[in-house]
């Protein structure tokens, strides 16, 4: 069965890049352009893993993470937080909020895919 | 000679009052003394009483007129000399009684004033001469003097003068010391004023004294407050009171000096920062005796420190933002390049072209960000003077719009030929930044309109979007350098550069609400352009307020 990845990022090119890569790696990809959009999608479907950008306008990744935690969905949703440059402190905070892993945007696409596979296998 | 003579009347009122009180007591003591001595000399009760009453009248006069310093002093001096004269008289001119004059002149010298002093000396000479003629045995007890009373009056006067010289010298020294002390105090006060430094001394036995500057620091008049140890703390800001109180107590107990920064809350409600230091002198038995300290105004320093801290925080936030903004297109370029290199499965020609396009677009975005940073730096140093040439602004705008990256926002352009004297690069940069701003802050798929039109006062460039619009509260601040909505991206210098470029052309840039929803960013550039400023200060490059 093909795993589904929800990519949440306000940057169209970042989504495009991940979509191209993940499709080649045999994932199904759905995309959200922001926090509100992501929550709308999650109300209807449950992807196998979520790549969540922390820094977005309006409803950011932090808000999405908290919202999911509040409605008790993080036990079943595998969230990987994603950011251009996060401090150790921010990474710890994201993990404490229920994220399964954090990956930096400066990592190679193969490393990002590796993180997704590791989280799926856990 | 005048320089060597004392000035007189230099005694402070307090010191005068103290000495005068003692002298009046001495004068009153002479009343019973003279009465008793007269009785023992067998002068009879009535005569003895008369002699005593003369002194009592003078003593009473001096006492009654205490409030008038000059008069009271002169009456007291005459009273003292009268005592000497009466004692010599009742003793029958015994020469040893004349020593009493010397003592009294010395006492009069204590006033450190010329009038009583000269009156005292004149009294001696006149009294010896006049009485010597009328009743020689009342002042002299030897024949030579009785025969030549004035001559001997001179002799007596000469001795008095000699002893007066010694008195005057000591009086002069007192004045010099007093002057030096006053001078030192004045200089200390000036120094304290300059340093905005007040000092205090708390003798645990006698009480607390404040320097004049300390009253000024606390914002109170010297007369308004009789300082006590309890007055210090109420002047301290309530939030700092416990800390300061603790420091002072610790110093009193442990004997170690304290140094603490705290705020004073002035009567008008003003807050003043001070640096307070204090130390205590401990006696051998371990108990404190004198505590003293200084309080210095450091409000200016604290303010500068706070401004520096704010600027530093602003700089940190700016560096974080810029790094983040540069990294996003960089990671896209890097990721896309990785995709191009993959061979399994191989890229087809279409996807290769699509990926290369995205690489180019993100490189262009990086270029714009770096150009903004460079221009921002130039603006800060006043090196942004536009190179103006007659140009069709709408042609420039159309060229920019043709290449600018808008994602899937439909971009609509309306323009009419608009010739003006402008710097082409700066017009391009303004349009680029305004369009990028619109793309960034509005939902994907919503349109962006770019318009160029002629107005009576110049060429108007409009960039409209159909986003949420700009709240009134932010309509000015979004043009300030560094302003940014934390999560929305953008270095926060793009819009500040738009304003800067517009102003350099003698025009202006602002934002309005677009009828029908969204924001309408506008730039007006005069046809010929007014004088523009190259003053770096006008850029407020590092300024916080616009």
């Amino acid at each position: 069965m093909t795993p589904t990845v929800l990519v949440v990022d306000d940057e169209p090119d970042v989504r495009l890049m991940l979509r191209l890569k993940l499709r080649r790696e045999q994932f199904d990809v759905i995309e959200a352009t922001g926090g509100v959009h992501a929550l709308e999608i999650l109300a209807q479907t449950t992807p196998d893993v979520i790549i969540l950008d922390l820094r977005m306008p309006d409803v950011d990744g932090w808000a999405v993470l908290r919202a999911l935690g509040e409605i008790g969905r993080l036990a079943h949703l595998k969230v990987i937080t994603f950011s251009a440059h996060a401090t150790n402190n921010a990474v710890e905070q994201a993990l404490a909020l229920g994220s399964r892993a954090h990956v930096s945007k400066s990592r190679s696409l193969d490393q990002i895919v590796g993180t997704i596979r590791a989280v799926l296998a856990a | 000679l005048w320089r060597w003579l004392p000035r007189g009347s230099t005694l402070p009122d307090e010191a005068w009052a103290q000495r005068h009180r003692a002298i009046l007591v001495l004068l009153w003591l002479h009343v019973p003394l003279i009465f008793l001595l007269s009785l023992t000399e067998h002068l009879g009760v009535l005569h003895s009483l008369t002699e005593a009453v003369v002194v009592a009248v003078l003593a009473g006069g001096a006492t009654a007129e205490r409030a008038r310093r000059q008069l009271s002093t002169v009456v007291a001096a005459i009273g003292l000399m009268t005592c000497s004269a009466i004692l010599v008289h009742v003793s029958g001119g015994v020469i040893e009684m004349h020593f009493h004059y010397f003592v009294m002149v010395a006492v009069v010298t204590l006033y450190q004033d010329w009038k009583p002093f000269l009156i005292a000396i004149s009294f001696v000479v006149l009294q010896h001469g006049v009485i010597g003629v009328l009743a020689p045995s009342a002042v002299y007890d030897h024949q030579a003097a009785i025969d030549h009373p004035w001559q001997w009056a001179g002799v007596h006067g000469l001795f008095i003068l000699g002893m007066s010289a010694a008195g005057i010298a000591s009086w002069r020294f007192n004045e010099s010391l007093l002057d030096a002390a006053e001078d030192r105090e004045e200089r200390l006060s000036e120094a304290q004023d300059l340093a905005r430094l007040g000092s205090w001394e708390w003798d645990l036995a006698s009480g607390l004294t404040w320097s004049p500057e300390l009253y000024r620091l606390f914002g109170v008049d010297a007369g308004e407050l009789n300082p006590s140890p309890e007055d210090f703390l109420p002047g301290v800001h309530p939030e700092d009171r416990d800390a300061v109180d603790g420091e002072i107590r610790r110093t009193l107990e442990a004997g170690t000096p304290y140094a603490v920064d705290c705020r004073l809350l002035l009567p008008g409600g003003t807050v003043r920062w001070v640096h307070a230091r204090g130390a205590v002198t401990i006696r051998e038995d371990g108990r404190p005796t004198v505590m003293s300290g200084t309080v210095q105004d450091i409000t200016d320093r604290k303010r500068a420190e706070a401004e520096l801290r704010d600027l530093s925080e602003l700089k940190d936030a700016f560096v974080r933002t810029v790094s983040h903004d540069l990294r996003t297109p960089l990671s896209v370029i890097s990721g896309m390049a990785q995709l191009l290199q993959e061979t399994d499965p191989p890229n087809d020609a279409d996807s290769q072209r699509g990926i290369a396009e995205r690489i180019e677009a993100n490189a262009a975005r990086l270029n714009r960000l770096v150009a903004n940073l460079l221009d921002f730096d130039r603006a800060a140093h006043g090196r942004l003077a536009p190179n103006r040439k007659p140009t069709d602004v709408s042609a420039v705008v159309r060229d920019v719009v043709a290449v600018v990256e808008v994602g899937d926002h439909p971009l609509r352009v309306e323009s009419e030929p608009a010739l003006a004297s402008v710097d082409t690069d700066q017009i391009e940069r303004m349009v680029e930044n305004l369009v990028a701003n619109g793309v960034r802050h509005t939902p994907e798929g919503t349109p962006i309109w770019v318009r160029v039109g002629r107005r009576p006062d110049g060429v108007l460039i409009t960039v409209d979007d159909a986003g949420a619009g700009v709240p009134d509260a932010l309509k000015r601040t979004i043009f300030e350098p560094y302003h940014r909505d934390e999560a929305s991206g953008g270095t926060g210098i793009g819009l500040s550069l738009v304003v800067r470029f517009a102003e350099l052309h003698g025009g202006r840039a602002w934002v309005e609400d677009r009828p029908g929803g969204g924001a309408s960013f506008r730039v007006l550039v005069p046809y010929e352009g007014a004088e523009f400023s190259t003053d770096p200060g006008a850029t407020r490059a590092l300024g916080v307020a616009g």
Side-chain angles (χ1 to χ4, degrees):
Chain A
M1 202 187 106
T2 320
T4 306
V5 181
L6 170 62
V7 175
V8 188
D9 200 308
D10 61 309
E11 293 283 347
D13 283 345
V14 173
R15 292 199 306 271
L16 174 65
M17 171 180 88
L18 290 174
R19 184 173 73 227
L20 291 173
K21 177 64 180 173
L22 292 172
R23 290 212 170 128
R24 288 179 186 189
E25 300 286 338
Q26 309 300 320
F27 291 98
D28 274 345
V29 180
I30 41 180
E31 297 174 31
T33 59
V36 175
H37 193 191
L39 291 171
E40 281 167 8
I41 291 171
L42 289 171
Q44 290 164 8
T45 180
T46 303
D48 296 292
V49 69
I50 303 172
I51 302 279
L52 179 63
D53 184 18
L54 285 174
R55 189 159 171 157
M56 293 184 292
D58 302 326
V59 178
D60 63 7
W62 295 106
V64 172
L65 207 53
R66 280 192 203 96
L68 293 175
E70 272 166 28
I71 57 173
R73 287 199 63 186
L74 284 178
H76 313 291
L77 280 173
K78 294 178 171 175
V79 176
I80 297 172
T81 47
F82 192 48
S83 69
H85 183 74
T87 59
N88 290 339
N89 211 355
V91 171
E92 269 171 35
Q93 210 182 332
L95 294 177
L97 281 171
S99 139
R100 305 293 172 97
H102 180 87
V103 65
S104 163
K105 286 184 182 179
S106 61
R107 295 284 169 186
S108 74
L109 293 177
D110 285 334
Q111 284 172 317
I112 295 172
V113 170
T115 306
I116 293 173
R117 291 201 196 285
V119 167
L120 277 172
Chain B
L1 182 65
W2 285 117
R3 234 161 24 89
W4 290 102
L5 287 175
R7 288 194 307 279
S9 303
T10 51
L11 215 55
D13 279 340
E14 267 169 54
W16 172 82
Q18 204 180 10
R19 292 177 190 193
H20 191 55
R21 221 171 7 252
I23 288 169
L24 287 180
V25 169
L26 180 69
L27 192 53
W28 279 110
L29 282 176
H30 275 86
V31 177
L33 189 78
I34 284 169
F35 179 65
L36 293 174
L37 196 76
S38 304
L39 284 182
T40 56
E41 291 289 335
H42 312 292
L43 289 183
V45 176
L46 197 66
H47 188 171
S48 302
L49 209 59
T50 311
E51 301 289 358
V53 162
V54 172
V55 176
V57 165
L58 287 165
T63 309
E65 292 297 331
R66 266 197 321 277
R68 292 157 78 182
R69 176 169 163 170
Q70 281 281 343
L71 181 64
S72 188
T73 304
V74 167
V75 174
I78 292 171
L80 291 175
M81 303 323 290
T82 307
C83 289
S84 298
I86 290 173
L87 287 173
V88 171
H89 158 67
V90 298
S91 68
V94 173
I95 206 69
E96 283 72 24
M97 267 306 168
H98 286 75
F99 290 127
H100 194 270
Y101 275 112
F102 288 87
V103 178
M104 291 303 107
V105 169
V107 168
V108 170
T109 315
L110 283 177
Y111 282 118
Q112 296 188 189
D113 205 353
W114 282 112
K115 207 176 271 178
F117 186 72
L118 291 176
I119 284 172
I121 292 178
S122 316
F123 188 97
V124 174
V125 177
L126 280 174
Q127 192 259 350
H128 278 66
V130 174
I131 307 292
V133 171
L134 298 178
S137 62
V139 282
Y140 303 121
D141 68 345
H142 58 94
Q143 202 52 50
I146 291 168
D147 291 344
H148 306 284
W150 280 107
Q151 195 180 326
W152 283 89
V155 172
H156 281 236
L158 215 62
F159 277 111
I160 289 285
L161 205 66
M163 102 134 265
S164 300
I168 288 171
S170 106
W171 166 13
R172 174 79 176 96
F173 289 139
N174 274 347
E175 278 188 3
S176 308
L177 284 175
L178 206 66
D179 284 354
E182 266 176 15
D183 196 40
R184 258 201 310 278
E185 207 155 287
E186 201 170 302
R187 263 188 257 170
L188 182 68
S189 178
E190 278 170 15
Q192 292 204 346
D193 189 31
L194 271 176
R196 301 192 59 73
L197 178 97
S199 59
W200 54 270
E201 189 172 87
W202 181 18
D203 186 328
L204 302 196
S206 65
L208 182 70
T209 48
W210 281 20
S211 77
E213 180 62 19
L214 194 54
Y215 287 98
R216 280 198 289 276
L217 283 180
F218 273 77
V220 289
D221 286 336
E224 197 174 296
L225 185 77
N226 186 19
S228 73
E230 291 74 32
D231 281 328
F232 184 75
L233 281 177
V236 175
H237 196 285
E239 288 171 26
D240 296 346
R241 224 169 269 168
D242 286 348
V244 174
D245 192 33
E247 285 288 328
I248 294 174
R249 276 175 205 287
R250 198 180 50 74
T251 296
L252 279 173
E253 282 158 20
T256 50
Y258 72 82
V260 62
D261 286 357
C262 67
R263 287 162 294 174
L264 302 183
L265 188 60
L266 271 45
T270 318
V271 172
R272 174 173 283 162
W273 270 101
V274 295
H275 179 66
R277 285 170 173 278
V280 67
T281 311
I282 308 273
R283 277 200 315 223
E284 272 182 18
D285 63 1
R287 288 172 56 195
T289 50
V290 179
M291 195 168 177
S292 58
T294 58
V295 176
Q296 184 166 25
D297 188 346
I298 54 165
T299 311
D300 290 347
R301 196 184 86 200
K302 284 280 176 189
R303 195 174 294 138
E305 280 174 5
E307 275 169 17
L308 207 61
R309 210 163 35 237
D310 286 351
L311 270 179
S312 168
E313 274 167 20
L314 209 59
K315 188 210 75 188
D316 290 349
F318 182 67
V319 170
R320 267 199 305 278
T321 307
V322 168
S323 314
H324 179 271
D325 288 350
L326 294 178
R327 177 161 268 179
T328 299
L330 264 179
S331 53
V332 171
I333 291 170
S334 162
M336 294 293 185
Q338 289 164 40
L339 287 171
L340 273 185
Q341 292 173 57
E342 287 182 350
T343 50
D344 181 30
N347 293 290
D348 58 39
D350 270 0
S351 75
Q352 256 185 21
R353 200 167 29 254
I355 290 170
E357 213 180 84
R358 296 327 301 152
I359 291 178
E360 198 198 345
N362 279 277
R365 180 169 160 193
L366 266 182
N367 248 329
R368 181 173 56 79
L369 291 173
V370 173
N372 276 354
L373 284 174
L374 290 173
D375 282 345
F376 184 67
D377 181 58
R378 281 185 201 130
H381 296 96
R383 293 197 302 259
L384 265 185
N387 176 20
R388 308 178 73 152
K389 290 192 180 91
T391 311
D392 179 8
V393 176
S394 57
V396 176
V397 171
R398 276 198 310 273
D399 287 349
V400 181
V401 167
V403 295
V404 79
E405 172 67 25
V406 290
D408 56 0
H409 293 265
L411 186 62
R412 294 172 192 144
V413 186
E414 292 166 24
S415 66
E416 56 180 340
L419 194 70
S421 175
V422 295
D423 181 314
T424 309
D425 283 349
Q426 294 190 359
I427 297 289
E428 284 176 358
R429 306 291 319 289
M430 284 195 275
V431 175
E432 236 173 52
N433 274 306
L434 287 176
V435 172
N437 179 67
V439 167
R440 184 166 289 275
H441 290 95
T442 58
E444 284 175 29
T446 58
I448 289 172
W449 297 268
V450 179
R451 296 188 185 89
V452 180
R454 291 193 300 270
R455 293 286 178 280
D457 45 352
V459 179
L460 182 71
I461 305 170
T462 315
V463 177
D464 288 1
D465 64 50
V470 179
D472 285 345
L474 295 180
K475 280 196 168 73
R476 285 179 64 87
T477 53
I478 55 168
F479 290 103
E480 290 169 9
Y482 298 133
H483 170 87
R484 61 175 277 131
D485 181 358
E486 257 307 303
S488 69
T491 53
I493 60 177
L495 289 179
S496 78
L497 282 172
V498 172
V499 167
R500 188 70 198 131
F501 289 139
E503 285 173 355
L504 285 168
H505 279 84
R508 60 198 183 96
W510 69 102
V511 62
E512 294 178 6
D513 293 326
R514 188 183 78 92
S520 178
F521 284 86
R522 291 164 182 229
V523 174
L524 185 76
V525 181
Y527 294 109
E528 282 306 322
E531 285 300 305
F532 52 83
S533 158
T534 52
D535 170 16
T539 67
R540 296 189 195 89
L542 288 173
V544 182

